Amino acid sequence: MVCDPKRGFSLDPRLAIIPAPMPPVAASQRTSVLTPDARALLERRARRLRRMSVIATTEAGSGHPSTCLSAADLVAVLFFREMRLSVADANDPANDRLVLSKGHAAPLLYAAWAQLGVLKEEELGTLRRLTSPLEGHPTPNFPRSEAATGSLGQGLSIGLGMAVANRLDKSQGRTFVLLGDGEMAEGSVWEAASLAALIKADRLVALVDVNGLGQSQRTARGHDTAWYARVFEAFGWRAVEVDGHDLDAVAQALESTRQSDGRPVALLARTLKGQGISWMADQDNWHGKPVPADKLASALAELGMGEDGSKPLPVHVPATPTPCQPSPKAGTLETDPPYKTGEKVATRNAYGAALARLGAADARIMGLDGDTKNSTMSLDFMKAFPDRFVECFIAEQNMVGVAVGLAARGRVPFGSTFAAFLTRAYDFVRMAAVGKANLKLCGSHCGVSIGEDGASQMGLEDLAMMRAVSGSVVLYPSDAVSTERLVREAAGHDGVVYLRSTRPAVPVLYPASERFPLGGSKLLKSSPEDKVTVVAAGITLHEALAAHAELAKAGIPVRVIDAYSVKPLDAVGIAKSLSATAGKLVVAEDHYPEGGLGEAVMGALPAQVKAFRHLAVRGMPRSGAPAELLARHGLDAKAIVKAVRELVSAT
Amino acid sequence: MVCDPKRGFSLDPRLAIIPAPMPPVAASQRTSVLTPDARALLERRARRLRRMSVIATTEAGSGHPSTCLSAADLVAVLFFREMRLSVADANDPANDRLVLSKGHAAPLLYAAWAQLGVLKEEELGTLRRLTSPLEGHPTPNFPRSEAATGSLGQGLSIGLGMAVANRLDKSQGRTFVLLGDGEMAEGSVWEAASLAALIKADRLVALVDVNGLGQSQRTARGHDTAWYARVFEAFGWRAVEVDGHDLDAVAQALESTRQSDGRPVALLARTLKGQGISWMADQDNWHGKPVPADKLASALAELGMGEDGSKPLPVHVPATPTPCQPSPKAGTLETDPPYKTGEKVATRNAYGAALARLGAADARIMGLDGDTKNSTMSLDFMKAFPDRFVECFIAEQNMVGVAVGLAARGRVPFGSTFAAFLTRAYDFVRMAAVGKANLKLCGSHCGVSIGEDGASQMGLEDLAMMRAVSGSVVLYPSDAVSTERLVREAAGHDGVVYLRSTRPAVPVLYPASERFPLGGSKLLKSSPEDKVTVVAAGITLHEALAAHAELAKAGIPVRVIDAYSVKPLDAVGIAKSLSATAGKLVVAEDHYPEGGLGEAVMGALPAQVKAFRHLAVRGMPRSGAPAELLARHGLDAKAIVKAVRELVSAT
């Protein structure tokens, strides 16, 4: 994608349409795509997939066999006829890939990989056990998962991210996403569909398993594949309706996705949930229920016994993919950030500049935004690296999903929007953590300090939200130097990292050579006589420094700590200051009181705190000038001075 | 909506299509909808709306005039010709309503209400000031807002909820939602569009202001109104393309929405951002920027001076709406919950049963679910009150938005899904709080105690997420009696309430007559010699009771507190126990360590805690048996015993 300054991406045909490796299938060939032998083998493989899915879930005592049965024929043709990939090298960028968006069909995925030889069929007997890599929904514990799924409606975004990476790698690999029809109700699917059509992600294929049944009732559209086809087409896709249990039809439809007219392709496959077992097929109340042990024999009999049933099939060797260029390698940036102490720079501006500089040193860095790039300042990165920037428009879920897909393909994606609007994508961030995705997010315009736009635009729960993501790192820089350093730290850390940036310009506090390791803090002010420890970050750190100056004049020395690493928190460093100040603590944060910096400190240092004043945004904020709002919510220097004085006089 | 057990709602034509109050407009009348006088007055009104929007934002020094200018003609025709409402009674269920989904056009909304006489035009001079009801984006501080907006893509869901309420009230009132084209990228819009078409919300009208410009660049589809029309039609809407600056065309198009063919209607209005000011119209880089003071005169000159410009227009008196039945009144339930101590009931089952019982007493109660009703057990409510249940399918954002719309129309909506999947709707919940919506949510399947399905299905950040919602109440019952009591408390509390329910069956702990006030806790075990205070809730409370029994045998008495009200927390009650146990505290919670019960207690009782063991879900959980996972993450009775012993021996 080359950037068009007005549209944020290009439709450059050299990049958009990669020639397909095989010639298109003529309409006259429709009934003869499969030879009788090939068809017979695919039938056996599909039967085997069903059998293994049913046995594994019955042995586990839980799981979703019925949803495996509806998709088994699609998966059989996909894996054992259509996909080209190196089984030995899962990371080959030339590979075709499958993202299992309907993650509850995990046993089917595991059964397919068993036929490709990467696990033994017996291992399916460990499904859902504490010690097994084969979890109830796919996770990185099974390395061929491609993505953690199980929260529905996320796979298409992730697949789109992978397709974008493939385009950059000049890979001819196709990205298949298997979706359930129930999850088509998630708007995030249509966010992905819209962007995919717009950027002509022609090597992205959505396979929709339209089995017509949700968890608790019929889906909204039942078996109306034409409805799904109309919507996909309206969004700009090519849509193909197919009988999802007709192997010939599926093979022909999948083969047709090799050719490109520039549009991504959606296959709407009419299927039956539970197909292959007469008393389960198309019946309600079989979602998430294994075949009872006493019915297993009858189920297996229907699925086919004898040689086809009990004996494993020979390992399938997929066609070799067309080689492509390797994905970019990591690079590092050694120069100091170009800031002088005292100059005024908003941390959001420092973020954009840092990203652009880092991008020059490390070709893996990518930028994404939700049409706020001139506020988050990811615009600076787009200007420098238009071909590595994806404008996702106002669709934060898809932005995060695309980033997760890019990360899965070796990129280091930084997605940015207002901190408030990242709440939109919380489920995607949560799932990124489940998938151990190397995802970086920046939320700008945090706190009441944004001022007049009012509460809807203020990020006030982002620290709570991001801290509660398993294994996450949460960073909150206070000046331009720390912002740039922390952007680099974020890029160097493998995992989910969140960086919170601020709207107003603030003075640079640190010399350019200062380092900001994850898990650290900075003791900005200290003396042997300090009475109180003041912990702050971001905008409130500047208020704390002003309070320090005022208190110094009044003869009340206090320590001031910059807690730039909110998670992991520098508990050891803060504890040292607390013991030097008789356990007296003030925490000031431009965030709601729950789950932010104050509770992080309290949770980490339970016995060390003897007296505590927690300055945070209490009550609903509103429109007003930034300084007025900091005062109204008790976060300014005056409020910090007051809190310190209370703690001192309480002695 | 009468329930069809297979589809969860009905297409009953008696309910779905309410006769329109005015005859349809024939095609031959198209050019003569407005008399010359009416047209001239509308032109003056539109000019006045533009003028006031520009002046107010320039005086405020911030804001979004360009987006007001694109929508001014639409709003003029809508307010001053189309809408029927009682200006004196904003709450009349018969009123037509406008939800301003593109909330950044707030000044336009305020200017329109000024022409309806509910505020003085001079008051627009207070826009965005700390003391003004006229915030940067609409909030309840301006009571005619209908909904808090400003996070884009939420208005159509809210409008759909209002339309559903109208149908129940047999109101002929129409619900108009004014959307920007930028926000059409949000998938939540299509979630709402899909459900609206499915339930034939024929009195819902989406007005899309297709000005072609986003915040940072052209929108994805620019002025391609045909693209939007195709997508709406594919989803099942009637779509009308119109020149949004042609008052005649807009009037005719809006008039056509009075007639119904059973489909909701979308008006795709081609407009120019900044229309009326030559150097702003259709120009990039005018998003969120007021006209500079030195350019104001030139702007106003272009918008029209003289009598039209500086003198307020006469107040517009809208047509009277057709009266309808009043909305239902509150009712209370006095009987005790029908449970006996010791019987085993999952709190999710108790939730469904409580909702059904409460629904019989209080006709305002409504149920919504995201196709998990047979897991959350809101199914019980649906079975009892099919006409008050909205199956929203797998689209959690829209589910919450519809609930917010229902709440705005006097209902008490309970939306349920897995706690994990409510992360999907966090932005909607956040905005519900900004709008002071009377929203109730239940998240089921919390914590690792769900077992084999794995991390993707486990609600482990829901307490952090919901606690950080301004003004929220967060409840976490441990048995059937407290669940039912807390459902009733939730219904009786005006605001956002979250209730966390659990999958496994657990014994009833409390007598049926026990009360559970918000902000309370229960001291379940205590003696004068207690060594440690153990605070728990939900599944871990049962582990704490088991630990208590084991420790008692070993001669170590401990207090056990049921912290069923996580927010507000019973700080006083817990502090009493802490002072009786030398400040020794164990908190056990089936949640990540950040932002949950442990940090809530630590944040509330900073100086009282002398020694602390925080048992929470550390590290990424996975598939496994519930008991295995509780043990793996150190949450079972054994782990609690160990933590207590450590605290005791540390003396």
Side-chain angles (χ1 to χ4, degrees):
Chain A
M1 285 160 292
V2 170
C3 174
D4 167 336
K6 285 229 163 170
R7 298 181 72 91
F9 57 88
S10 90
L11 305 179
D12 182 334
R14 286 167 306 167
L15 293 167
I17 302 171
I18 298 170
M22 290 184 64
V25 181
S28 59
Q29 290 177 268
R30 278 199 186 169
T31 51
S32 56
V33 167
L34 297 177
T35 64
D37 280 359
R39 193 185 195 292
L41 182 57
L42 280 177
E43 246 173 33
R44 287 173 60 198
R45 291 197 180 277
R47 199 172 296 170
R48 189 77 196 167
L49 294 176
R50 288 192 164 91
R51 183 182 170 84
M52 296 313 300
S53 302
V54 167
I55 294 174
T57 46
T58 294
E59 286 190 5
S62 66
H64 304 78
S66 62
T67 200
C68 297
L69 297 183
S70 64
D73 298 310
L74 292 170
V75 165
V77 180
L78 184 67
F79 270 80
F80 309 122
R81 182 168 193 274
E82 197 55 39
M83 283 172 79
R84 313 182 137 225
L85 59 95
S86 159
V87 173
D89 183 5
N91 203 33
D92 187 339
N95 284 351
D96 285 350
R97 292 174 195 285
L98 171 67
V99 176
L100 185 70
S101 189
K102 48 177 284 180
H104 50 302
L108 180 64
L109 183 73
Y110 305 146
W113 281 104
Q115 290 194 36
L116 288 168
V118 308
L119 77 162
K120 291 188 182 122
E121 281 193 345
E122 301 89 86
E123 291 180 63
L124 265 83
T126 68
L127 181 75
R128 294 177 157 245
R129 290 200 198 144
L130 191 63
T131 50
S132 173
L134 308 181
E135 295 203 64
H137 296 78
T139 75
N141 286 330
F142 179 67
R144 309 288 168 140
S145 292
E146 301 286 354
T149 52
S151 182
L152 292 167
Q154 304 200 5
L156 197 59
S157 299
I158 297 170
L160 175 56
M162 292 173 170
V164 170
N166 278 355
R167 188 179 290 185
L168 292 168
D169 287 339
K170 305 199 188 306
S171 165
Q172 294 188 23
R174 283 177 291 167
T175 309
F176 298 94
V177 181
L178 180 59
L179 300 110
D181 51 347
E183 67 181 305
M184 303 306 288
E186 288 286 8
S188 52
V189 174
W190 303 114
E191 294 176 4
S194 182
L195 188 65
L198 195 73
I199 67 173
K200 298 192 188 294
D202 61 318
R203 303 192 74 71
L204 179 67
V205 181
L207 311 174
V208 189
D209 178 18
V210 185
N211 64 33
L213 284 169
Q215 172 182 320
S216 70
Q217 63 167 68
R218 290 252 156 224
T219 60
R221 310 297 170 182
H223 276 117
D224 190 356
T225 51
W227 184 88
Y228 294 102
R230 274 199 306 276
V231 177
F232 266 113
E233 280 174 353
F235 272 105
W237 287 52
R238 180 157 74 86
V240 182
E241 292 172 70
V242 68
D243 176 346
H245 299 311
D246 178 339
L247 293 171
D248 255 313
V250 171
Q252 194 259 324
L254 276 173
E255 198 170 296
S256 83
T257 69
R258 298 176 193 171
Q259 62 184 123
S260 169
D261 64 0
R263 291 180 293 172
V265 187
L267 237 76
L268 292 316
R270 188 190 189 283
T271 63
L272 297 183
K273 204 163 175 173
Q275 169 77 0
I277 303 177
S278 57
W279 37 269
M280 187 188 273
D282 202 34
Q283 296 301 303
D284 217 342
N285 286 318
W286 274 108
H287 181 92
K289 286 182 192 163
V291 170
D294 61 0
K295 287 194 164 182
L296 185 59
S298 127
L300 296 183
E302 288 207 39
L303 293 174
M305 292 292 286
E307 191 270 343
D308 284 6
S310 54
K311 215 172 71 184
L313 284 162
V315 163
H316 169 75
V317 181
T320 307
T322 310
C324 68
Q325 68 184 42
S327 299
K329 294 278 184 298
T332 53
L333 179 59
E334 298 296 347
T335 55
D336 286 345
Y339 300 108
K340 291 197 176 114
T341 53
E343 70 174 308
K344 290 188 95 175
V345 186
T347 57
R348 63 182 172 125
N349 288 89
Y351 166 75
L355 210 56
R357 264 190 291 279
L358 187 60
D362 189 336
R364 302 170 310 155
I365 306 291
M366 290 193 64
L368 305 93
D369 209 298
D371 191 23
T372 57
K373 58 184 175 287
N374 54 348
S375 289
T376 64
M377 298 317 296
S378 70
L379 181 63
D380 290 349
F381 181 85
M382 186 189 97
K383 283 179 181 164
F385 302 100
D387 54 338
R388 278 151 53 193
F389 184 86
V390 186
E391 174 54 67
C392 296
F393 302 94
I394 308 176
E396 296 77 10
Q397 293 190 84
N398 186 51
M399 180 182 78
V400 174
V402 169
V404 168
L406 288 169
R409 302 305 319 123
R411 265 64 185 186
V412 182
F414 281 77
S416 336
T417 183
F418 283 25
F421 305 146
L422 282 173
T423 54
R424 198 79 163 231
Y426 194 24
D427 196 26
F428 278 69
V429 179
R430 178 181 78 86
M431 287 302 300
V434 173
K436 302 195 192 310
N438 193 17
L439 171 71
K440 320 298 162 193
L441 294 172
C442 174
S444 73
H445 292 66
C446 68
V448 300
S449 68
I450 70 158
E452 291 81 358
D453 273 339
S456 63
Q457 319 291 302
M458 296 170 175
L460 287 161
E461 53 291 288
D462 54 322
L463 294 179
M465 169 174 88
M466 294 299 186
R467 284 183 66 236
V469 170
S470 183
S472 67
V473 167
V474 178
L475 305 172
Y476 187 9
S478 302
D479 79 342
V481 169
S482 54
T483 301
E484 176 143 353
R485 290 291 184 192
L486 290 172
V487 167
R488 298 181 195 182
E489 291 286 338
H493 174 84
D494 186 13
V496 177
V497 181
Y498 173 63
L499 187 143
R500 187 183 214 218
S501 74
T502 310
R503 184 168 174 269
V506 288
V508 173
L509 300 173
Y510 295 100
S513 60
E514 189 82 17
R515 300 289 170 144
F516 293 80
L518 303 184
S521 70
K522 296 288 172 188
L523 185 56
L524 274 177
K525 299 285 175 188
S526 70
S527 78
E529 287 80 33
D530 292 336
K531 305 294 180 203
V532 174
T533 297
V534 180
V535 175
I539 195 86
T540 57
L541 183 67
H542 298 273
E543 300 295 327
L545 291 172
H548 172 271
E550 194 181 323
L551 288 161
K553 281 186 224 159
I556 307 174
V558 296
R559 313 212 138 184
V560 177
I561 294 179
D562 175 2
Y564 65 84
S565 180
V566 178
K567 181 184 174 190
L569 188 78
D570 182 14
V572 173
I574 298 171
K576 271 186 205 160
S577 283
L578 276 176
S579 62
T581 58
K584 293 184 178 180
L585 172 69
V586 173
V587 176
E589 57 180 324
D590 196 357
H591 186 274
Y592 288 134
E594 297 87 5
L597 182 59
E599 289 193 354
V601 173
M602 288 307 300
L605 302 165
Q608 287 89 334
V609 180
K610 308 298 176 198
F612 181 41
R613 289 291 181 279
H614 188 188
L615 309 183
V617 179
R618 293 172 203 277
M620 181 60 71
R622 46 158 296 127
S623 291
E628 285 177 330
L629 290 168
L630 286 172
R632 178 179 190 253
H633 292 282
L635 296 174
D636 60 359
K638 196 175 156 190
I640 295 171
V641 166
K642 181 167 171 277
V644 166
R645 284 185 180 277
E646 284 169 10
L647 288 180
V648 170
S649 64
T651 315
Chain B
M1 284 161 293
V2 170
C3 175
D4 168 336
K6 285 228 164 170
R7 298 180 71 91
F9 57 87
S10 89
L11 305 179
D12 182 335
R14 287 167 306 167
L15 292 166
I17 303 170
I18 299 170
M22 292 184 61
V25 181
S28 58
Q29 289 177 269
R30 278 200 185 169
T31 52
S32 55
V33 167
L34 297 177
T35 64
D37 281 359
R39 192 183 194 292
L41 182 56
L42 279 178
E43 245 173 34
R44 288 173 60 199
R45 292 197 180 276
R47 198 172 297 170
R48 189 77 197 166
L49 293 177
R50 288 193 164 89
R51 183 183 169 84
M52 296 314 299
S53 301
V54 167
I55 294 174
T57 46
T58 295
E59 286 190 5
S62 66
H64 303 78
S66 62
T67 200
C68 297
L69 298 182
S70 64
D73 298 310
L74 291 170
V75 165
V77 181
L78 183 67
F79 270 80
F80 308 123
R81 181 167 194 274
E82 197 55 39
M83 283 172 78
R84 312 182 137 225
L85 59 96
S86 159
V87 173
D89 183 5
N91 202 34
D92 187 338
N95 283 350
D96 285 350
R97 293 175 194 283
L98 172 67
V99 175
L100 186 70
S101 189
K102 48 176 282 178
H104 50 301
L108 180 65
L109 183 74
Y110 305 146
W113 281 103
Q115 289 194 37
L116 289 167
V118 308
L119 76 163
K120 291 189 182 121
E121 281 192 347
E122 303 89 85
E123 292 179 61
L124 264 83
T126 68
L127 181 73
R128 294 177 157 246
R129 290 200 198 143
L130 191 63
T131 50
S132 173
L134 307 181
E135 295 202 64
H137 295 78
T139 74
N141 285 332
F142 179 69
R144 308 289 167 140
S145 292
E146 301 285 356
T149 52
S151 182
L152 292 168
Q154 304 200 5
L156 197 59
S157 298
I158 297 171
L160 174 57
M162 292 174 168
V164 169
N166 278 355
R167 188 180 290 185
L168 292 169
D169 287 339
K170 304 197 188 306
S171 165
Q172 294 187 22
R174 282 178 292 167
T175 309
F176 298 94
V177 180
L178 180 58
L179 300 111
D181 51 348
E183 66 181 306
M184 303 307 287
E186 288 286 8
S188 52
V189 174
W190 303 114
E191 294 176 3
S194 181
L195 188 65
L198 194 73
I199 68 173
K200 297 191 188 294
D202 61 319
R203 303 191 75 71
L204 178 67
V205 181
L207 311 173
V208 188
D209 177 18
V210 185
N211 64 33
L213 284 169
Q215 173 181 319
S216 71
Q217 64 167 65
R218 290 251 157 227
T219 60
R221 310 295 170 183
H223 276 117
D224 189 357
T225 51
W227 184 89
Y228 295 101
R230 274 199 305 276
V231 177
F232 266 114
E233 280 174 352
F235 272 104
W237 288 53
R238 180 156 73 86
V240 182
E241 292 172 72
V242 68
D243 176 346
H245 299 311
D246 177 338
L247 293 171
D248 255 313
V250 171
Q252 193 260 324
L254 276 173
E255 199 170 294
S256 82
T257 69
R258 298 176 194 170
Q259 62 182 125
S260 169
D261 64 359
R263 292 179 292 173
V265 186
L267 238 76
L268 292 317
R270 188 190 187 284
T271 63
L272 297 183
K273 203 162 174 173
Q275 168 78 357
I277 303 176
S278 57
W279 37 269
M280 187 187 275
D282 202 32
Q283 296 300 304
D284 216 342
N285 286 317
W286 275 108
H287 181 93
K289 287 183 191 162
V291 171
D294 62 0
K295 286 193 163 181
L296 186 59
S298 127
L300 296 182
E302 288 206 41
L303 292 174
M305 293 291 287
E307 191 270 344
D308 284 5
S310 55
K311 217 172 70 184
L313 286 162
V315 163
H316 170 75
V317 181
T320 307
T322 311
C324 68
Q325 67 184 42
S327 299
K329 293 278 185 298
T332 52
L333 179 59
E334 298 296 347
T335 53
D336 287 344
Y339 300 107
K340 288 194 177 117
T341 52
E343 69 174 308
K344 289 189 95 174
V345 186
T347 57
R348 62 182 172 124
N349 288 89
Y351 167 75
L355 210 56
R357 265 190 291 277
L358 187 60
D362 189 335
R364 303 169 310 156
I365 305 291
M366 290 192 64
L368 305 93
D369 208 299
D371 191 22
T372 57
K373 57 185 176 286
N374 53 348
S375 288
T376 65
M377 297 316 296
S378 70
L379 181 63
D380 290 350
F381 181 85
M382 185 189 99
K383 283 180 180 164
F385 302 100
D387 54 338
R388 279 151 54 193
F389 184 86
V390 185
E391 174 54 66
C392 295
F393 302 94
I394 307 175
E396 296 77 11
Q397 293 191 85
N398 185 53
M399 179 182 79
V400 174
V402 169
V404 168
L406 289 168
R409 302 305 320 123
R411 264 65 184 186
V412 182
F414 281 76
S416 336
T417 183
F418 282 25
F421 305 146
L422 283 173
T423 55
R424 198 78 165 232
Y426 194 25
D427 196 27
F428 277 69
V429 178
R430 178 182 78 87
M431 289 302 299
V434 174
K436 301 194 193 308
N438 192 17
L439 172 70
K440 319 299 162 193
L441 294 172
C442 173
S444 72
H445 292 65
C446 68
V448 299
S449 68
I450 70 158
E452 291 81 358
D453 273 339
S456 63
Q457 319 292 302
M458 296 170 175
L460 287 161
E461 53 291 288
D462 55 322
L463 294 179
M465 169 173 89
M466 294 298 186
R467 283 184 66 237
V469 170
S470 183
S472 67
V473 167
V474 178
L475 305 172
Y476 188 7
S478 303
D479 81 340
V481 169
S482 53
T483 302
E484 175 142 354
R485 290 290 184 193
L486 290 172
V487 166
R488 298 182 194 181
E489 291 286 338
H493 175 82
D494 187 13
V496 177
V497 181
Y498 172 63
L499 186 142
R500 186 183 215 219
S501 74
T502 310
R503 185 168 175 268
V506 286
V508 173
L509 299 173
Y510 296 99
S513 60
E514 190 82 16
R515 299 290 170 142
F516 292 80
L518 303 184
S521 69
K522 296 289 173 188
L523 184 57
L524 274 177
K525 299 286 176 189
S526 69
S527 79
E529 288 81 32
D530 292 336
K531 305 295 181 202
V532 174
T533 297
V534 180
V535 175
I539 195 86
T540 58
L541 183 67
H542 297 274
E543 299 295 328
L545 291 171
H548 172 272
E550 194 181 324
L551 288 161
K553 282 186 222 158
I556 307 173
V558 295
R559 313 211 138 186
V560 177
I561 294 180
D562 175 3
Y564 65 83
S565 180
V566 178
K567 180 184 174 189
L569 187 78
D570 182 15
V572 173
I574 297 172
K576 271 187 205 159
S577 282
L578 277 176
S579 62
T581 58
K584 293 185 178 178
L585 173 67
V586 173
V587 176
E589 57 180 324
D590 196 357
H591 186 274
Y592 288 135
E594 298 86 6
L597 181 59
E599 290 193 355
V601 172
M602 289 306 300
L605 302 165
Q608 287 89 333
V609 179
K610 308 298 176 198
F612 181 41
R613 289 291 181 281
H614 188 189
L615 309 184
V617 179
R618 293 172 203 275
M620 181 61 70
R622 47 158 296 127
S623 291
E628 284 176 331
L629 290 168
L630 286 172
R632 178 179 189 252
H633 292 282
L635 297 173
D636 60 358
K638 195 176 158 191
I640 296 171
V641 166
K642 180 167 172 275
V644 167
R645 285 185 180 277
E646 283 169 10
L647 289 180
V648 170
S649 64
T651 315

